[in-house]
Amino acid sequence: MQYDKSLVLDILYQISDATKIVQKRCSFAKTEDDFCNSEEGQEKLDGICMKLIAIGESLKNIDKITHKNLLIKYPNVPWKEIKGIRDILSHHYFDLDANIIYEICTTHIDNLLITINMMINDLKE
């Protein structure tokens, strides 16, 4: 089944940009407490969460556009969890755990960006 590759590429570029912003905003934090101990840290946490929501929603859109045939080609990324964190942040924001966001930023976001860039390159071929 065919899908609009240019639309998917546009979305992937947006995800790539959002991921880079998450990396930049998180770079100041040495521990999860850095998000909670200052107004600046809380503002960065809020901004990171908004980008994570956008990333998760965009991945859901890619799944819809590609009839769930693209993301499964890149099994090294926990797509379900990324889309799930979007739901948690959107619907249970006041239950937000800074430790989880810190872990996402320090442990998983680099791999996501690498994979997104790989997907972009694969689709451009």
Side-chain angles (χ1 to χ4, degrees):
M1 196 173 269
Q2 290 289 12
Y3 57 86
D4 185 345
K5 285 187 182 183
S6 65
L7 177 58
V8 173
L9 277 169
D10 287 345
I11 296 169
L12 288 171
Y13 283 121
Q14 291 172 345
I15 294 170
S16 177
D17 291 344
T19 304
K20 291 173 189 173
I21 291 170
V22 168
Q23 287 175 318
K24 182 178 178 184
R25 288 183 181 163
C26 188
S27 65
F28 86 102
K30 304 302 177 226
T31 71
E32 65 273 3
D33 291 337
D34 292 334
F35 286 131
C36 303
N37 292 339
S38 70
E39 187 173 332
E40 179 186 6
Q42 291 172 359
E43 288 173 358
K44 287 192 184 279
L45 180 62
D46 289 344
I48 289 167
C49 289
M50 286 304 299
K51 292 299 180 185
L52 293 175
I53 290 169
I55 290 167
E57 187 64 29
S58 295
L59 290 170
K60 285 182 175 190
N61 289 336
I62 286 175
D63 248 358
K64 182 177 179 181
I65 294 165
T66 65
H67 312 284
K68 297 190 177 195
N69 288 317
L70 181 62
L71 300 182
I72 61 171
K73 294 180 181 178
Y74 302 87
N76 61 317
V77 173
W79 302 113
K80 182 178 178 182
E81 288 81 358
I82 295 170
K83 293 182 284 184
I85 200 75
R86 175 255 176 239
D87 295 336
I88 292 168
L89 292 174
S90 295
H91 301 291
H92 304 284
Y93 187 79
F94 291 112
D95 296 329
L96 172 66
D97 185 343
N99 184 45
I100 292 172
I101 302 304
Y102 180 77
E103 181 183 338
I104 289 168
C105 292
T106 58
T107 308
H108 303 291
I109 206 75
D110 291 342
N111 185 50
L112 175 61
L113 181 57
I114 290 166
T115 304
I116 293 297
N117 288 332
M118 185 184 316
M119 294 167 76
I120 289 169
N121 289 331
D122 291 348
L123 286 176
K124 285 170 49 176
E125 292 180 355

